[in-house]
Structure formats: structure tokens, C-alpha cells
Amino acid sequence: MMGGLGEVDKALIVAFAVVIAIALLSGLGLYASWYTATHPDYGMTTVKTGDVTWVCLTDHGTTIGCDTVEEYR
């Protein structure tokens, strides 16, 4: 062989590895952003006003709608 890798070859390999790592992390970040934006995070909360108890459906913390609990029993 020719005596192994030179300094330039080693620097190119390290630079290539860094570029690949940045591309993978960027792709993972884009996927996470897309997933949270397109997949709902539904939940339910209850609210008591006087004698009436309401159950409210939420999506990402935003209330979608409420109805009385008696209709769900």
C-alpha cells in the first residue's frame, strides 16, 4: 500500500461524516415538526359551572367543543 491515509484524506472523511450527521439531524427535526403538526393530540377536560358539569374535547390545548356530562353516561 501507499502508507495509509494522508492528512487531506482524513480531513475529507471527517468533513463527510459531519455533513452526514447534520443532514440526519435536520431530517429528524423536519420529521418531528411534520408529525406534531399533522397528528392531533386530543384530550378531554371537565369543567363544573354551578350544577352542570361539562366535558370539553381539546386538540393541542385548544378547546374544540363542550357538552354536558349527562349525555356521555
Side-chain angles (χ1 to χ4, degrees):
M1 286 275 153
M2 299 277 244
L5 296 175
E7 287 185 32
V8 174
D9 293 333
K10 290 178 184 176
L12 287 174
I13 291 171
V14 169
F16 183 69
V18 169
V19 168
I20 294 297
I22 290 171
L24 288 174
L25 289 174
S26 297
L28 184 61
L30 287 173
Y31 173 76
S33 296
W34 167 81
Y35 186 85
T36 56
T38 58
H39 291 76
D41 184 22
Y42 293 114
M44 295 181 90
T45 59
T46 56
V47 179
K48 184 157 181 81
T49 56
D51 294 338
V52 180
T53 302
W54 298 85
V55 63
C56 299
L57 180 64
T58 59
D59 178 23
H60 292 290
T62 304
T63 300
I64 296 173
C66 297
D67 215 339
T68 59
V69 174
E70 287 75 25
E71 293 186 24
Y72 292 98
R73 288 185 182 167

